[in-house]
Amino acid sequence: MALDTTRNWSPDSGPVSLVRRLFTGQNIIIAAALLVVGYFTLVPLVFLIVGSLRTPQAAHQTAVWTLDNYVRAYTDPQTLQLFSTSMVFALGSAFLALGLGTLLAWITERTDTPARGLIFALSLIPLILPGILSTISWIFLLSPKIGLINAVVKALFNLSSPPFNAYSIGGMIWTEGLHLSPAAYLLMVATFKSMDPSLEESAQMCGARVWQTFYRITLKMAWPSIFSIFLISFVRSLEAFEVPAILGMPVGIHVFTSRIYEALHSWPADFGLAGAYAISLLAITSLGVYFYSRLTRQAHRYATVTGKGYKPAPMRLGQWKYATLAIVVLYFCFILVLPLFVLLWSAFQPFYSVPSLAGLKTLTLKNFTYVLTYPKVLHSFLNSLYLAGGAATVVVFLTAIVSWITVKSKIRGRWIFDNIAFLPLVFPGLIMGVSLMFVYLTLPIPIYGTIWILLVAYITRYLPYGMRYNSTSMVQLSNELEESAQVSGASWWRTFYSIILPLLKPGAVAAWIYIFVVSFRELSSTILLYSPGSEVLSVTIWEFWENGQYTALCALGVLMSIALLVVVLATQTVSRKVGVKE
């Protein structure tokens, strides 16, 4: 009897069916997104490690594996001083940012201090000011020779020498901590808003004073957030480049980032030594992120929000509310009024001088005319615009897919993709630049020295922020909408594009605006990767600083800040109109 080989066979079984199930549109898109994220995050790390373990490669020599770069880095007598200075700078900046942010958030969210709504709005403005501009503004304020504050204090108290010095470790901590404080404030505001105030009210009813309640109850309930914000500020201070480069390097105060910059700008460039220092800094930041992740897993121990509703009642400070208002006014004088004033004053002066009534006679628009007609400025502005817009768009779209995988899908090991997407969080900007230099000086991909490598750097660096925004929004979406679309015959891509993305819009718009702003003003990774023709505005400002064109720099900084503000407001307006039409 012949064997019937066609029995029980159908197009929906066997290898053909397996191929069809594997190569669906959904699987192809998901696999492509994961491959792209993996390439952006893992490849730079691998090449950074490899580069730190090899000797410099020139045309006449072959690179070999060696530990010589680490030996040179860690047997240098200055390495211990480098480490201690980096830690003092990062810890001091983090404590200052945390202290200012926590105090301001408590005043606005827990007390009856006047004008609390205005405080929140004003706190968003410093976030737009690039770090390089805020650093330069504090030179104009605290420089021993030309500082406005020093001049005023010397005149008031008849001092023979200036009391403050921006070019010191204290000046560096003050400048960086103040620059980080608005972000710390916004994070603490979210904590205080979600915290049940019943324990604080009970303490006051038992006779506790306001400051006792703040210290014994409020701070202890907010401990997880306080510690996490401290770690975030600590990591950001470790990776800071503008403050150490502008205030520290001229007087010989070095941290890891400034030492890496010097190693790469020596002749010949010492890539191996820079890689060894980069790995050290990467290890420290990774340790901080590790402790942050451990803390967030234990956050349930501090939960105070339950199913019971509550209505926060602000603490009545009595006459002390005017003291807290004075603290707020003083803070905004330091964070906003004084820096913007000296930048604007300098932008309208032919050369920098301490603000005075006599200086009003020399006000001029020549700096703005010079900047607007400077050949590089328009090109740099367009590069910044294209890169910031492109990076924000790619990151938001890519992380929307990855967040769907980690939150909604049932793929085994999806938590691994979440961790991979967050990996760039431990990469300081300067380290990202070093890593990408190793990658594209080795791989036969011709983007080194072009604007495309900057786009890769921005996308890679800000992937974790896109994940945070989109994952938070994705968790809030019910599965019923997707299931209804699938029952109606919609494909996964049609469901994702027509249902998921529109519902993610509030978080996606917020993510796009944030990533656009930080990409537009990015300097630390850009400074190592740009080349003639691919300059951005932050690099042009840096070149003005190196050339001593201080007043032109201020004029360009003012225009850059205005451009950022206009783009952010325009994006918010468009998103609201689109939301109304929907």
Side-chain angles (χ1 to χ4, degrees):
M1 182 173 65
L3 180 63
D4 185 3
T5 58
T6 62
R7 188 175 181 180
N8 295 328
W9 182 91
S10 70
D12 297 325
S13 63
V16 175
S17 175
L18 179 61
V19 171
R20 288 179 177 175
R21 289 198 301 270
L22 290 176
F23 290 92
T24 61
Q26 172 184 347
N27 290 343
I28 291 173
I29 293 172
I30 291 174
L34 294 178
L35 285 174
V36 171
V37 170
Y39 174 79
F40 279 145
T41 57
L42 296 177
V43 171
L45 176 61
V46 171
F47 274 82
L48 177 62
I49 297 172
V50 170
S52 68
L53 293 171
R54 306 191 78 184
T55 59
Q57 186 174 6
H60 61 280
Q61 63 180 170
T62 302
V64 295
W65 296 99
T66 180
L67 291 174
D68 181 63
N69 296 317
Y70 290 93
V71 172
R72 287 191 296 141
Y74 298 118
T75 57
D76 188 339
Q78 295 182 351
T79 299
L80 182 60
Q81 179 65 37
L82 180 69
F83 176 80
S84 62
T85 304
S86 299
M87 295 301 293
V88 168
F89 170 65
L91 289 171
S93 301
F95 275 118
L96 180 59
L98 175 65
L100 292 174
T102 302
L103 179 60
L104 192 66
W106 176 77
I107 289 173
T108 56
E109 295 299 323
R110 282 293 192 261
T111 71
D112 61 344
T113 301
R116 288 174 293 162
L118 181 62
I119 295 171
F120 184 83
L122 289 175
S123 67
L124 300 177
I125 299 176
L127 296 176
I128 297 178
L129 193 66
I132 186 173
L133 291 181
S134 64
T135 304
I136 291 171
S137 69
W138 279 105
I139 291 178
F140 294 151
L141 291 168
L142 295 181
S143 169
K145 295 182 179 179
I146 60 172
L148 173 61
I149 293 178
N150 277 326
V152 172
V153 173
K154 282 179 63 179
L156 286 176
F157 297 98
N158 195 25
L159 301 177
S160 58
S161 60
F164 308 110
N165 184 7
Y167 298 100
S168 64
I169 190 66
M172 292 168 59
I173 290 173
W174 170 260
T175 304
E176 183 66 25
L178 207 61
H179 180 65
L180 294 176
S181 62
Y185 161 71
L186 293 176
L187 291 171
M188 283 306 301
V189 162
T191 298
F192 284 135
K193 280 186 176 180
S194 62
M195 186 188 299
D196 188 348
S198 59
L199 295 177
E200 297 165 295
E201 294 169 357
S202 300
Q204 287 188 302
M205 291 178 64
C206 294
R209 297 180 179 179
V210 171
W211 301 111
Q212 290 177 319
T213 303
F214 173 70
Y215 177 73
R216 296 183 177 180
I217 306 295
T218 308
L219 290 184
K220 291 185 177 181
M221 287 195 299
W223 170 244
S225 295
I226 289 173
F227 190 58
S228 64
I229 293 169
F230 172 79
L231 285 175
I232 292 171
S233 301
F234 173 76
V235 171
R236 289 191 61 185
S237 300
L238 274 178
E239 71 175 32
F241 172 71
E242 292 92 337
V243 171
I246 295 175
L247 299 182
M249 284 173 55
V251 292
I253 301 176
H254 291 284
V255 296
F256 276 109
T257 51
S258 58
R259 185 68 76 189
I260 292 169
Y261 177 79
E262 285 190 338
L264 291 173
H265 281 74
S266 60
W267 182 259
D270 199 337
F271 294 104
L273 183 62
Y277 282 132
I279 291 295
S280 304
L281 183 55
L282 189 63
I284 298 173
T285 56
S286 300
L287 192 63
V289 174
Y290 168 75
F291 281 118
Y292 169 73
S293 63
R294 285 288 302 271
L295 179 68
T296 54
R297 286 200 294 267
Q298 301 175 7
H300 63 278
R301 296 167 52 193
Y302 297 85
T304 62
V305 179
T306 63
K308 182 180 178 181
Y310 62 87
K311 183 178 181 180
M315 296 182 185
R316 297 189 177 278
L317 300 180
Q319 296 298 320
W320 285 103
K321 66 182 179 182
Y322 299 109
T324 55
L325 179 61
I327 293 174
V328 171
V329 171
L330 186 63
Y331 170 79
F332 279 107
C333 282
F334 285 128
I335 193 69
L336 190 61
V337 177
L338 287 174
L340 288 180
F341 171 71
V342 293
L343 287 176
L344 284 170
W345 173 268
S346 304
F348 288 99
Q349 292 293 322
F351 53 87
Y352 180 78
S353 61
V354 178
S356 62
L357 293 176
L360 295 175
K361 300 178 181 179
T362 60
L363 295 179
T364 178
L365 293 174
K366 289 184 178 180
N367 292 315
F368 292 93
T369 304
Y370 173 78
V371 164
L372 292 174
T373 56
Y374 190 73
K376 285 186 179 180
V377 167
L378 179 59
H379 184 68
S380 300
F381 171 77
L382 293 177
N383 282 345
S384 296
L385 192 64
Y386 297 151
L387 287 169
T393 303
V394 172
V395 167
V396 169
F397 181 75
L398 193 60
T399 54
I401 298 176
V402 178
S403 64
W404 181 90
I405 296 171
T406 59
V407 174
K408 297 293 185 182
S409 76
K410 297 181 180 179
I411 298 175
R412 292 182 179 179
R414 57 188 179 273
W415 60 272
I416 298 176
F417 304 128
D418 194 20
N419 289 343
I420 290 175
F422 276 103
L423 183 62
L425 196 64
V426 304
F427 271 78
L430 209 67
I431 307 303
M432 183 64 66
V434 176
S435 304
L436 293 178
M437 287 177 67
F438 283 130
V439 172
Y440 294 105
L441 285 173
T442 305
L443 294 181
I445 303 176
I447 66 171
Y448 185 78
T450 70
I451 195 173
W452 296 105
I453 195 173
L454 298 180
L455 181 63
V456 171
Y458 295 172
I459 291 172
T460 306
R461 190 174 184 204
Y462 298 117
L463 272 174
Y465 301 98
M467 278 295 296
R468 176 59 63 195
Y469 279 101
N470 279 323
S471 294
T472 303
S473 300
M474 189 73 70
V475 169
Q476 299 174 350
L477 303 184
S478 172
N479 294 331
E480 297 176 355
L481 297 172
E482 286 185 78
E483 294 168 356
S484 299
Q486 292 173 355
V487 169
S488 301
S491 64
W492 177 86
W493 171 248
R494 181 65 181 274
T495 302
F496 183 82
Y497 179 79
S498 302
I499 296 178
I500 300 298
L501 286 183
L503 293 175
L504 287 177
K505 190 183 68 175
V509 170
W512 193 95
I513 291 174
Y514 177 78
I515 295 170
F516 179 90
V517 170
V518 293
S519 299
F520 196 91
R521 69 188 192 188
E522 168 64 24
L523 176 65
S524 56
S525 57
T526 311
I527 198 69
L528 299 181
L529 299 174
Y530 83 96
S531 59
S534 64
E535 298 93 343
V536 294
L537 277 181
S538 58
V539 170
T540 303
I541 291 176
W542 174 260
E543 291 178 347
F544 279 179
W545 171 257
E546 289 189 318
N547 296 334
Q549 299 171 281
Y550 304 135
T551 54
L553 175 157
C554 293
L556 180 56
V558 169
L559 294 176
M560 179 180 178
S561 301
I562 293 174
L564 269 175
L565 185 61
V566 169
V567 171
V568 169
L569 293 176
T571 303
Q572 290 180 327
T573 301
V574 170
S575 65
R576 291 195 193 100
K577 290 184 177 180
V578 172
V580 171
K581 289 180 180 179
E582 290 178 351

